[in-house]
């Protein structure tokens, strides 16, 4: 298998990405996660896609009459192909070339003569092509196919998928030359990535057109409103992300890609403005985005109820994709902070230890013990509760798989030559980095321990710069070392990951009067399974005058007694009060020991 020698890089930007082969995660939490994804999760996804007939939609000539799955189920096949490509191509990864050959054959066999490819439209007995721009997801699925093909070609895992993808892209460019766009963004970053690989300018021009056409209320009116579909306000004029969270974030990814390829500083500044305000006003402490269950959407500013947190796993993946793009474009390390937070809370929480079940949504307050999901049937409800093997809408597990399989490329950037040649380390894990003429060995137990040691194993006789991100919670900025490095020398970064109290903005009504505990990038939570017998998490109050220590905080239970009416003419004082020690666990570890209740934000004992 011959891999493409380097990354297909953006044409501009302050930082430069590295290729998949240049970073190898060698252990730690994310090294283990990669192994689980490669050996268990990818096969688990393939089993469910076969079981439910989502792959069968491609191979069955009469599938038009009995197609299985939702209108976007084709995209799960493509995301699986992308994940399998990255996994096959990374150093130490599991070889999935057999699976990829099957998936490529399925896609090629189902493709129409004019390049169109979707199993839910256009064949006898099915709706016409592009008859439902709001929810049809045809271009959304096509975008995931293009991204899978780029991954398959860059790694050499299945280069033949590129021909299928180019035929799809050519069809899209012809069909949408003058008007139209998809209600679910995703084709935009796919087209730009394909342009970077092939050099075909019309793919980039088509992505530019799709970006510019949005925001003019062109889609059919729907009860969710135009904002849900990112069609209420032109992206250059918007101030904050709104509507369906994943749609908004995928569109922003495409807009950044278009901006850096065309030199459109106005467009890039618009996305920066929107992302920064969204982080400041519409983001959960975990970095999760999307607070509304009704339409998987962003809420209004500071409307962030913990017990109704949606924070879809796919939105977490999209947030990392976007933050990394902004990091590359601007060089601002605060976007690395966002990647760190989302990665170690949302993404780390999403998938079970065995890689075979997952969260769709991420509540921050589980009030009741949920039922254990069936191992044999897909879950119809996907708004909260336990990790489940599969959901009716199962976009998240394949999405996490493609992210984690390519994760090394998010950890490091490099300047290969020139006066600024060197390596920038943005995320910390045990890993080997080969870039800028150097080989670096990174040793750390981060995030459980804040010590990061970089050993220079190989270095040229010229000056090089090694830069390490210092997280905002540790003071922010960077630690920069520049000199002629000698093989064997070490650079050490020490970050304090002692637990600390965190208090919400007072405008977040839902958690006013509460506090949370963080340790480094990790958000902590109280889980019922760890508490003393009879302790109800909804009756806990904590003492924030005492610093958190040894994975616990001091507090009390305050039972107000039996209620006949939940409103009173004066503040209700607690009835039975009992001092307790409240054990805490990392949020990403909750619900791994069976059904439980849980909460992140803890009410403060009144002074």
């Amino acid at each position: 298998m011959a891999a493409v020698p380097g990354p297909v890089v953006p044409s501009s930007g302050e930082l430069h990405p590295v290729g998949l082969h240049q970073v190898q995660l060698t252990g730690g939490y994310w090294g283990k996660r990669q192994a689980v994804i490669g050996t268990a999760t990818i096969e688990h996804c393939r089993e469910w896609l076969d079981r439910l007939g989502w792959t069968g939609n491609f191979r069955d000539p009469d599938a038009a009459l009995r197609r299985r799955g939702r209108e976007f189920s084709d995209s799960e096949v493509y995301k699986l192909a992308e994940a399998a490509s990255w996994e096959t191509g990374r150093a130490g990864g599991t070889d999935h070339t057999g699976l990829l050959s099957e998936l490529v054959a399925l896609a090629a066999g189902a493709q129409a003569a004019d390049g169109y490819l979707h199993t839910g439209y256009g064949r006898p007995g099915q709706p016409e092509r592009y008859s439902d721009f709001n929810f049809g997801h045809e271009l959304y699925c096509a975008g995931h196919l293009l991204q899978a093909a780029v991954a398959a070609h860059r790694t050499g895992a299945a280069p033949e998928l590129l021909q299928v993808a180019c035929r799809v892209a050519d069809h899209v460019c012809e069909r949408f030359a003058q008007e139209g766009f998809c209600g679910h963004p995703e084709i935009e970053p796919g087209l730009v990535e394909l342009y970077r690989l092939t050099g075909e300018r019309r793919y980039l021009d088509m992505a530019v057109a799709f970006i510019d056409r949005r925001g003019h209320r062109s889609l059919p009116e729907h009860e969710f409103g135009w904002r849900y579909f990112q069609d209420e306000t032109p992206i250059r004029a918007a101030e904050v992300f709104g509507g369906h969270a994943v749609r908004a974030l995928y569109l922003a990814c495409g807009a950044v890609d278009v901006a850096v390829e065309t030199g459109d500083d106005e467009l890039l500044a618009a996305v920066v403005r929107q992302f920064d305000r969204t982080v400041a006003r519409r983001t959960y402490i975990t970095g999760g985005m999307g607070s509304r269950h009704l339409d998987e959407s962003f809420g209004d500013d500071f409307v962030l109820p913990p017990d109704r947190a949606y924070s879809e796993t796919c939105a977490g993946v999209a947030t990392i994709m976007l933050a990394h793009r902004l990091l590359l474009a601007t060089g601002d390390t605060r976007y690395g902070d966002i990647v760190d937070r989302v990665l170690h809370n949302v993404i780390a929480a999403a998938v079970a230890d065995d890689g075979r079940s997952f969260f769709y949504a991420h509540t921050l307050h589980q009030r009741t013990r949920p039922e254990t999901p069936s191992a044999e049937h897909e879950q119809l409800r996907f708004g909260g509760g336990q990790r489940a093997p599969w959901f009716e809408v199962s976009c998240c597990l394949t999405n996490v798989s493609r992210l984690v399989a390519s994760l090394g490329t998010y950890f490091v950037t490099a300047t290969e030559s020139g006066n600024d040649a060197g390596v920038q380390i943005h995320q910390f894990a045990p890993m080997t980095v080969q870039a800028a003429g150097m080989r670096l060995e990174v040793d750390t137990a981060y995030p459980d321990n804040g010590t990061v040691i970089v050993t220079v194993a190989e270095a040229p006789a010229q000056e090089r710069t090694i830069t390490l991100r210092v997280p905002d919670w540790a003071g922010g900025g960077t630690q920069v070392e520049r000199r002629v490095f000698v093989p064997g020398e070490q650079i050490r970064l020490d970050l304090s990951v002692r637990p600390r109290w965190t208090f919400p903005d007072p405008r977040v009504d839902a958690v006013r009067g509460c506090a949370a505990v963080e340790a480094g990038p990790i958000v902590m939570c109280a889980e019922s399974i760890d508490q003393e017998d009879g302790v109800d998490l909804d009756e806990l109050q904590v003492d924030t005058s005492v610093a958190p220590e040894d994975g616990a905080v001091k507090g009390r239970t305050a039972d107000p007694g039996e209620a006949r009416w939940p409103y009173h003419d004066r503040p209700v004082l607690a009835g039975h009060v009992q001092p307790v020690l409240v054990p805490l666990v990392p949020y990403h570890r909750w619900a791994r020991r069976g059904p439980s209740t849980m909460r992140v934000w803890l009410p403060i004992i009144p002074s």
Side-chain angles (χ1 to χ4, degrees):
M1 180 183 67
V4 175
V8 184
V9 299
S11 61
S12 66
E14 294 297 318
L15 298 173
H16 308 284
V18 296
L20 188 69
H21 64 290
Q22 293 180 270
V23 180
Q24 180 180 2
L25 303 185
T26 56
Y29 182 87
W30 292 110
K32 294 176 182 176
R33 284 287 92 191
Q34 276 194 330
V36 169
I37 292 291
T39 59
T41 305
I42 288 177
E43 185 59 32
H44 175 80
C45 292
R46 187 254 182 91
E47 290 170 359
W48 275 91
L49 290 173
D50 287 347
R51 179 191 303 186
L52 296 177
W54 297 3
T55 48
N57 291 334
F58 289 83
R59 68 170 60 93
D60 187 348
D62 296 321
L65 303 179
R66 53 177 180 275
R67 184 182 182 276
R68 303 285 298 279
R70 296 284 296 274
E71 58 275 6
F72 39 75
S73 64
D74 288 4
S75 70
E76 306 317 320
V77 177
Y78 304 144
K79 280 185 284 183
L80 179 61
E82 183 181 349
S85 295
W86 294 129
E87 176 63 22
T88 300
R90 72 175 181 85
T94 302
D95 188 337
H96 290 290
T97 52
L99 169 62
L100 283 165
S101 294
E102 294 179 25
L103 298 182
V104 172
L106 288 178
Q111 190 167 30
D114 65 351
Y116 177 85
L117 180 54
H118 194 287
T119 67
Y121 297 88
R123 292 182 286 185
Q126 291 183 327
E128 294 182 5
R129 294 179 182 182
Y130 307 117
S131 56
D132 184 359
F133 281 125
N134 284 354
F135 288 104
H137 287 77
E138 288 156 280
L139 296 185
Y140 166 82
C141 292
H144 278 301
L145 171 62
L146 303 191
Q147 290 184 314
V150 170
H153 192 274
R154 283 175 56 181
T155 59
E160 62 274 18
L161 186 57
L162 183 62
Q163 181 179 3
V164 177
C166 287
R167 292 184 62 210
V168 168
D170 291 343
H171 160 77
V172 170
C173 290
E174 181 178 351
R175 169 60 178 79
F176 292 93
Q178 301 301 322
E179 62 181 1
F181 57 91
C182 184
H184 197 310
E186 168 60 12
I187 187 67
E188 298 85 356
L191 283 167
V192 178
E193 290 180 29
L194 190 63
Y195 157 74
R196 289 172 179 160
L197 181 64
T198 65
E200 180 58 62
R201 176 72 193 199
R202 63 175 175 159
Y203 299 159
L204 175 61
D205 292 341
M206 189 72 259
V208 172
F210 282 144
I211 294 292
D212 289 341
R213 288 173 191 172
R214 308 192 78 95
H216 303 285
R217 303 190 177 191
S218 304
L219 292 172
E221 188 172 3
H222 188 274
E223 62 179 321
F224 286 171
W226 281 289
R227 173 173 287 196
Y228 174 89
F229 304 100
Q230 313 308 311
D231 192 31
E232 183 179 64
T233 305
I235 192 167
R236 298 172 191 275
E239 296 296 327
V240 67
F241 294 152
H244 189 274
V246 177
R247 296 178 192 233
L249 291 163
Y250 279 172
L251 178 62
C253 286
V256 173
D257 289 344
V258 163
V260 299
E261 293 306 322
T262 62
D264 192 334
D265 293 338
E266 178 195 29
L267 181 59
L268 178 61
V271 178
V272 167
R273 177 179 72 245
Q274 294 158 36
F275 186 75
D276 289 351
R277 176 160 177 159
T278 300
V279 168
R281 295 167 176 256
R282 299 185 176 189
T283 301
Y284 284 102
I285 188 174
T286 56
M289 292 190 178
S291 61
R292 288 170 54 93
H293 280 238
L294 175 64
D295 47 12
E296 302 184 313
S297 293
F298 289 99
D300 293 331
D301 287 354
F302 302 109
V303 179
L304 296 165
D307 55 348
R308 295 297 293 164
Y310 202 69
S311 182
E312 184 185 338
T313 298
C314 280
V317 172
T319 300
I320 290 175
M321 291 168 55
L322 177 56
H324 186 65
R325 281 166 162 82
L326 292 174
L327 173 69
L328 295 176
T330 68
D332 194 328
T333 59
R334 63 198 167 103
Y335 297 116
D337 289 346
I338 293 295
V339 172
D340 195 6
R341 179 172 294 274
V342 177
L343 197 60
H344 285 105
N345 294 292
V346 178
I347 305 303
V351 183
D353 290 338
D354 67 358
R356 295 181 177 274
S357 61
F358 64 102
F359 283 138
Y360 186 99
H362 294 260
T363 184
L364 301 187
H365 187 175
Q366 183 70 38
R367 294 181 179 274
T368 59
R369 294 176 186 265
E371 296 181 359
T372 300
S374 168
E376 301 298 324
H377 303 285
E378 58 185 328
Q379 292 290 107
L380 299 181
R381 293 182 65 253
F382 44 90
Q386 291 290 102
R387 295 175 184 87
W390 205 253
F391 294 86
E392 178 191 23
V393 177
S394 274
C395 47
C396 298
L397 193 55
T398 51
N399 220 357
V400 170
S401 296
R402 68 178 184 140
L403 171 69
V404 174
S406 61
L407 199 56
T409 62
Y410 290 82
F411 279 34
V412 175
T413 57
T415 306
E416 293 291 347
S417 61
N419 294 333
D420 297 325
V423 172
Q424 304 88 40
I425 299 175
H426 305 284
Q427 309 301 331
F428 309 121
M431 59 184 170
T432 298
V433 180
Q434 292 184 299
M438 296 187 291
R439 180 163 65 86
L440 308 178
E441 304 289 343
V442 181
D443 183 30
T444 182
Y446 187 87
D448 298 325
N449 183 290
T451 299
V452 181
I453 297 174
V454 180
T455 300
V456 180
E458 297 176 6
Q462 296 81 33
E463 282 192 340
R464 289 292 185 267
T465 303
I466 298 176
T467 305
L468 292 87
R469 177 182 60 90
V470 177
D472 182 67
W473 46 263
T478 57
Q479 177 175 317
V480 181
E481 308 276 350
R482 180 166 180 80
R483 55 184 174 272
V484 177
F485 290 99
V486 178
E489 73 172 293
Q490 294 183 330
I491 297 171
R492 183 184 180 104
L493 174 66
D494 287 302
L495 306 169
S496 174
V497 293
R498 288 181 59 84
R500 63 189 185 276
W501 288 110
T502 298
F503 302 92
D505 187 294
R507 289 168 289 186
V508 184
D509 286 339
V511 291
R512 186 182 290 125
C514 294
V517 175
E518 296 181 272
I522 298 293
V523 173
M524 307 294 286
C525 68
E527 190 174 6
S528 59
I529 199 169
D530 296 311
Q531 310 306 314
E532 298 177 15
D533 289 344
V535 171
D536 185 338
L537 293 183
D538 285 342
E539 296 174 359
L540 278 181
Q541 296 176 332
V542 293
D543 184 356
T544 57
S545 69
V546 181
E549 286 191 25
D550 299 324
V553 295
K554 290 186 177 181
R556 71 183 191 184
T557 59
D559 180 5
E562 188 67 27
R564 291 183 297 174
W565 177 243
Y567 311 102
H568 306 273
D569 58 2
R570 63 180 63 85
V572 176
L573 299 177
H576 177 68
V577 175
Q578 176 184 349
V580 293
L581 192 66
V582 184
L584 302 175
V585 297
Y587 174 75
H588 68 79
R589 294 300 309 166
W590 94 273
R592 296 185 187 272
R593 296 169 290 174
S596 63
T597 61
M598 176 277 301
R599 67 183 304 166
V600 166
W601 290 103
L602 306 169
I604 300 170
I605 295 174
S607 58

